[in-house]
Each structure stands twice: as C-alpha cells, then as structure tokens.
Amino acid sequence: MYLVWFLATFYSVYFFLTIAVYRKDLFEKRKLPRSFRPRVTFLIPAYNEAKSIADSLKSMKKVTYKNIEFIVLNDGSKDDTSKIVRENIKGDDRFSFIDNKENKGKAGVLNQGIKICTGDFVACMDADSVVEPNIVQKVIPYFLDEKTGAVTVSVEVKNPKSFLQKAMAVEFAIGLSLFLKIFSYLKCVFVTPGPFSMYRKSMLNEIGGYDETNITEDHEIAFRVNKSKYNIENCIDARVYTILPRTFKQLYVQRRRWYSGAIQTFMKHRKMMFKKESGFFGVYIPFHYTLIILGLFTFLASIYLSISRFIREILYYQYTGFNFFDHFSLSLDPLMYGRVNLLGTSLVAAAMILMIVGIIVTRRKFRNYNLGLIGFPLLFILYQVYWGSAIWNAINNKKVKWR
Amino acid sequence: MTKQKSVRNYLPVIAFAITLFLFLSVIIIGNILNNERQDFVAEEMQKMYSDFNSMQTLSLIMGDYDDEMVCIAFESKLQELDSYIWTLAEKIDKYRIVTEEFQEDEFYLKQKKTFNENEIFYYLMMRKMNRQCNMSKEPLLFFYQNSFDCKKCDDQSFVLTDINEDDDDLENEVAIFSLDVDLNISAVDMMTKYYELEEYPCLIFSDGTRMCGMMDKFIIERKLCEINPKLMICE
C-alpha cells in the first residue's frame, strides 16, 4: 500500500510540476516559414468503414495545405467502403484509392502506402476520424527540427453521446492530449495515436515502417522511434476527432487489444529498458507498467476485501434477523480515520485535481463534459478488469486479434 | 531544448522531495490522530475509574448509612455506566484496528487489560448490588479470543452489540461484559477455569448457564427472558 501510494504520488507530482514548468509553452504556435512547404501524404487505411468514412473524407477535402496527397487504402472491406470512397473522392485529384480485395491488416496496408507515397512526411489516420482544415500547417513546423521523427496531436472525441463516451472524452482530453504533450517534453511518448499522427518518411524507411505482427501498431512504432535517433513531439493545438466505443462490450474489445498489444510490445522491446541509450524512456516505461501492476494488485485486494466484508456483514445480519435499520445512524468519528484512509483519500484527491488541472490547462470547458467528470474516475475500475484480462491472456499465451 | 534538458534533470528530484514531504505529512497526521485516539481512550478510562471509585465508596458505606439512599445512588451510577461501557470496549477495539499495529500496540493492549480487569470489578459489584438492593440488572459475560483463533468471536460480538443497542433503546437492563481470554488477566483466567471454558465464544448467564459456540440474537434473548421475564426486551 505504501509503495503503491508513493509511486502513484510521485507520478502525479512529477506531472503537476512538468505542467507548471511548461504551462506557457503548451499552446506555443510554431511558425511555418514560406520556404518550408514539403509534400505531405495522408494514408487512410479502411476496413468496413462504410458508416464513417464519408465524414472523414469530407474533412480531408477541407484541408487547406496545398502540397498534399491522400491515399485511401481499402483493407478488403466486406461492406460498401469501396463504393463510398469512390463516390466521395471523384473529381479531386489529390486523392488516390488502393482497393485491396484481401485483408492485410492495418499495419500491412499502411506499409503498402508508405512504399508508394510521394510525401516527405506521412500522416497516418483512421478512416473514422475527422481532421481540422489547418492541421498540417500546425503540425508540419515541428519537423523543422531534424530530430523530430513523429508528431502527435490532441485526440478528441467526436460527438460523445453516451455516459461512457463522455467519461472517455475526459480520459482522452487528459491522456491523449495533455499527457502526450508532457510526455513529449520528457522524451517518453510511448504511443503515436492511430486517429492521426504524422511521421518523417525517411525515418519510417529507416525503422522499417509498421510491425505487421503487432496488434497495436501505433504503440509499437513509438518504441522504435524512441530507439532511433528521433524524437516524438506533440502539437496540442491541432485536433483530430475520433469515434469512441458506445457500449461496454465495444470498449472491452478495444481495451483488450490495446492492453494485450501493450504487453506484446513491452515484451518485444524489453531490452530497451534501463539502457542508457534509451534515455528517460527506458526508465519511464518500466515505472509506468510497475504502477499498473501494483494498481491491479491493490484493486484485486480491495475487491477481495470488499466481497468478504459484504459476505461477513450478511452473515452478521443473519444472526440478528436482518435488523438493518433499527440502529442505523450516521455517526462520523474523525478518529476512525487511519493512515490507510489518509493515503487512499489523498490518491483520489490527486486524481481529481489532475483531471481538473488537465481540463483547465488544455483550455477546455467543464460544461462540455458534465457527467463525464463523474464517469472518468469510474473508468479506472473498469480498466483494472481489462488489464487483468489482458495479463491473463498473455499468461495463457492467448492471441488477441486486431478486430 | 536547454530548458527541456534541465527540466528532465531536476524535476524528478523535486518530485521525489515533494512526494517524500507528502508521505511524511501523512505519517505525521496519522500519528497525531493516533495520539488523539489514545488521549480519548485514556480520558474515557479515567472517567470509568472515577465512576468505579464512587461505586466502591458507595459499597463501603453501605450498612453504615441509609442503604436505600445508597442503592438509589448506586442504581443511577450503573445506569450511567451501562450506556457507555460496551461502547468504550468497542471503541478500544476499533481504534486498535485503525492504528494498524493491532496486536502489538502496547497502549491498546494495556488499556484493554485494565478495562477487562475493571469490567470484572464492575460485574462483581453489580451482582452484589443486585442482591442487596433488589435490582434487576441482568449481567451477561462474554468470553472471546482473537479473530485468528476464534472465527466466530467477531460474529458473536456483532450480535451482542445489536442486543446492547436494543437494550439501550429500552431500559439498560442487560449489562454485557466482554472479556478477552488472550490477555492473560488472572481474574479472567480464574473465571474461565471456574466455568470450565474450552471453546469460544462463550456466554455465561446470571443463573450460571453456559452457552459456547455461536449463538444468534434470538437464542440469547430467549435465555435472558427465561431467567428474567420482566426485562423490557422480552415484551
């Protein structure tokens, strides 16, 4: 308990300090010099995206950057994706369409796109995501630094409707926006999100593109970028809007893949850890996963204690004829507040403060999240279950598929 | 870049120092609360000693002065004591758990021991007054062990708390004495030998009936009513 508390508090304090130091630079606008107009390629892999790809293509058509090409890569879709793409890109010569009849997997088609594209910089984006018209102008100046290998943006939630989506919108506002920025300062970005990330093409060629055997290719590639001489930056001001799972079942499928992919990636790159050449990344990643594992143990222990206490209470009441309410009173004794309670309360408080600070410093409005603010802490309970399931699968050598 | 580099260098150290400070603050606050708990228990115990002293004085002057007056004074003292003696015993146990050291915490072990010794004194005094003043207080002895050796002792304690609360709502006619057999108190050891107790939890009623093993609320209340049908809980 003390160790979990110490690590978690250290983690939170570290983040608060980094936010405090960089608060003025978070939204720093980098200028795009007139002389720097490199060619940019958007790669859009699509598998059964008939419902959402039209919106995505419409947003791409509004992109104002001139020196650009869009390559839509059908990944053997069984629905009307192909037809919808053809209809939407007709007459726009910036678009080309590779209609693969066989399913190669997301990493497979992205590699196919990397081979044929003409851009100096490659933006890989999901077919269910929508971009801002000036996203390229905001992102591309980061590549003026020759050491920048990839740039991530803020991943926002597109029209969050359900309680689950609103809770996840808060998670994304912090995890896939503010945290990505902070991680970029600390040189430990461990994911280049699938909805939109831009890469230096020469770097992609150097590291060999995406790993086609990995189920979280956007996570795995970030490890190899960190291993190379390049950095991953974040442009918090540029936004991509993506669709989130609506149901708990869909969320489970998504997280099972994410977390299983995280384990797969960690095992593949475990030799990077605690190596001098891996820098802070090699220290942060083991720390991050240790915290997750300790958190999971604490969660399991709490579940066990809560259930056994519940059963015990039921037994107690059984001996008194279920005399629940006769002596019920709310007498709060502050002296019953022990050290363990203090530690637990301070962790919850830190998480809430982090959420509030995250929303404020990323210039978001609380009213846009409403119930999501309550739902966000509850997600952590759910994620412990999903992590447990992913670790169980890994122990049992059970393969998790992309879809 | 320079700024980022320097930040990477000094932030972990500052973060570690702040975390350590927060950790120590929690420990210090925890210690302050521990001291507060100990003060509270010590104060309550002091109050109990002073009540017992008055009872002892009343018992000594009985016979030399007006017995009826003494009995009235005694009954009122008992009424007062009954309402908090079980609660205090419970509080000592709960505070022991909150302080984490539980079995090893010297303070609570000492207090619990003194408390148990005084409970026996109170129990004997009550029996005496029941005889001499014709009072109808119903004493009930509860012998228990720690929850590792006695799985059902906590359950039995819960049931007795429930009975005690029922009784508090009525007339405070039942006085429950909880005696920890693990504390090696000679008077408690003597009583366990006298009642030939081998398994716990065990209840001893005023008529000498011994009920060992887990007993639910209804069995205990039935027995109390059998001994003393005038009790309010029997209505």
Side-chain angles (χ1 to χ4, degrees), chain A residues 2 5-6 10 14 18 21-22 25 185-187 312 316 319 323 327 333 335-339 343, chain B residues 4 11-12 16 19 26 31 33 37 91 95 98 100 152 155 158-159 162 165-166 214 216-217:
Chain A
Y2 288 116
W5 184 92
F6 201 90
F10 176 73
Y14 200 176
T18 317
V21 170
Y22 287 103
D25 300 337
Y185 288 137
L186 301 173
K187 301 283 171 262
R312 212 172 167 74
Y316 281 166
Y319 293 131
N323 192 11
H327 312 297
D333 181 359
L335 293 180
M336 282 301 289
Y337 212 65
R339 238 177 250 157
L343 295 175
Chain B
Q4 284 180 10
L11 274 191
F16 183 82
T19 309
V26 168
N31 284 342
L33 287 171
R37 276 190 285 272
K91 255 196 173 148
Y95 286 176
V98 172
E100 291 172 83
K152 289 288 172 189
D155 298 14
F158 181 84
V159 171
D162 197 66
E165 282 173 358
D166 275 346
M214 180 62 205
D216 72 24
K217 184 182 176 182

Side-chain angles (χ1 to χ4, degrees), chain A residues 55-281:
Chain A
D55 281 348
S56 181
L57 293 170
K58 273 176 202 158
S59 78
M60 279 175 244
K61 281 177 157 180
K62 289 178 189 161
V63 168
T64 52
Y65 191 78
K66 302 287 179 208
N67 192 8
I68 198 164
E69 69 170 342
F70 299 97
I71 304 176
V72 184
L73 301 132
N74 185 20
D75 191 16
S77 298
K78 293 179 181 76
D79 62 2
D80 287 339
T81 302
S82 180
K83 190 179 148 202
I84 293 166
V85 172
R86 285 181 203 284
E87 278 169 12
N88 278 277
I89 66 172
K90 209 188 316 177
D92 192 331
D93 58 6
R94 294 176 301 168
F95 283 84
S96 50
F97 182 46
I98 312 285
D99 196 3
N100 293 301
K101 298 296 175 199
E102 293 290 312
N103 181 267
K104 293 169 180 252
K106 190 180 172 188
V109 287
L110 281 172
N111 283 340
Q112 183 187 18
I114 292 165
K115 272 182 202 153
I116 58 167
C117 74
T118 57
D120 304 305
F121 298 96
V122 181
C124 298
M125 74 171 281
D126 287 346
D128 59 0
S129 302
V130 167
V131 287
E132 294 178 313
N134 57 350
I135 193 164
V136 180
Q137 285 91 332
K138 286 179 180 175
V139 170
I140 209 81
Y142 283 81
F143 288 103
L144 282 167
D145 180 352
E146 290 296 320
K147 279 191 172 176
T148 302
V151 180
T152 64
V153 298
S154 286
V155 184
E156 302 282 329
V157 179
K158 190 177 160 193
N159 303 325
K161 280 177 188 150
S162 69
F163 176 69
L164 183 64
Q165 287 176 323
K166 283 179 180 166
M168 288 175 74
V170 179
E171 183 202 7
F172 273 46
I174 295 163
L176 289 181
S177 177
L178 179 65
F179 273 27
L180 281 178
K181 188 74 185 170
I182 300 297
F183 286 149
S184 75
Y185 288 137
L186 301 173
K187 301 283 171 262
C188 60
V189 179
F190 57 89
V191 65
T192 45
F196 185 96
S197 289
M198 198 181 281
Y199 305 88
R200 188 183 290 277
K201 193 186 170 190
S202 58
M203 181 209 69
L204 284 175
N205 289 334
E206 252 176 69
I207 65 170
Y210 284 98
D211 177 358
E212 293 179 21
T213 62
N214 196 286
I215 50 169
T216 45
E217 73 296 321
D218 53 352
H219 179 54
E220 196 279 334
I221 199 169
F223 274 63
R224 278 182 294 124
V225 176
N226 276 288
K227 207 186 250 183
S228 72
K229 61 181 182 191
Y230 295 99
N231 295 325
I232 302 173
E233 296 292 342
N234 172 265
C235 176
I236 203 169
D237 198 26
R239 290 173 185 194
V240 59
Y241 298 85
T242 192
I243 295 171
L244 286 186
R246 269 177 293 115
T247 63
F248 287 100
K249 197 183 168 191
Q250 287 172 349
L251 178 66
Y252 171 68
V253 172
Q254 183 199 57
R255 297 299 159 126
R256 188 182 57 179
R257 182 177 68 80
W258 284 13
Y259 300 157
S260 298
I263 296 169
Q264 188 189 5
T265 305
F266 181 81
M267 294 313 286
K268 181 182 171 186
H269 296 287
R270 62 186 180 278
K271 286 182 181 161
M272 274 179 82
M273 307 307 142
F274 304 112
K275 289 278 162 62
K276 200 180 171 187
E277 54 271 26
S278 306
F280 188 67
F281 185 85

Side-chain angles (χ1 to χ4, degrees), chain B residues 85-86 88-94 96-97 102-103 108-109 111-117 119 140-158 160-161 176-185 188-189 192 197-204 211-214:
Chain B
I85 206 154
W86 176 266
L88 180 58
E90 257 197 318
K91 255 196 173 148
I92 292 177
D93 276 338
K94 281 182 180 168
R96 277 170 81 186
I97 297 168
F102 197 50
Q103 295 295 339
Y108 287 100
L109 281 179
Q111 296 297 329
K112 190 76 192 174
K113 212 167 174 174
T114 319
F115 184 82
N116 271 201
E117 280 164 351
E119 268 194 312
L140 177 61
L141 294 174
F142 166 46
F143 292 89
Y144 68 96
Q145 276 186 301
N146 66 73
S147 51
F148 296 105
D149 295 330
C150 171
K151 303 284 175 216
K152 289 288 172 189
C153 284
D154 283 351
D155 298 14
Q156 191 66 78
S157 176
F158 181 84
L160 292 172
T161 305
I176 306 167
F177 303 92
S178 55
L179 303 168
D180 188 340
V181 296
D182 291 328
L183 295 174
N184 298 321
I185 301 164
V188 176
D189 290 347
T192 57
L197 305 183
E198 280 168 4
E199 61 161 326
Y200 302 98
C202 214
L203 298 170
I204 308 291
M211 278 188 179
C212 292
M214 180 62 205

Side-chain angles (χ1 to χ4, degrees), chain B residues 10 13 90 102 118 121-122 135 162 175 185 195 210 227:
Chain B
Y10 72 74
V13 181
E90 257 197 318
F102 197 50
N118 279 291
F121 168 79
Y122 174 36
M135 280 163 36
D162 197 66
I185 301 164
Y195 290 114
R210 193 179 62 180
I227 297 167

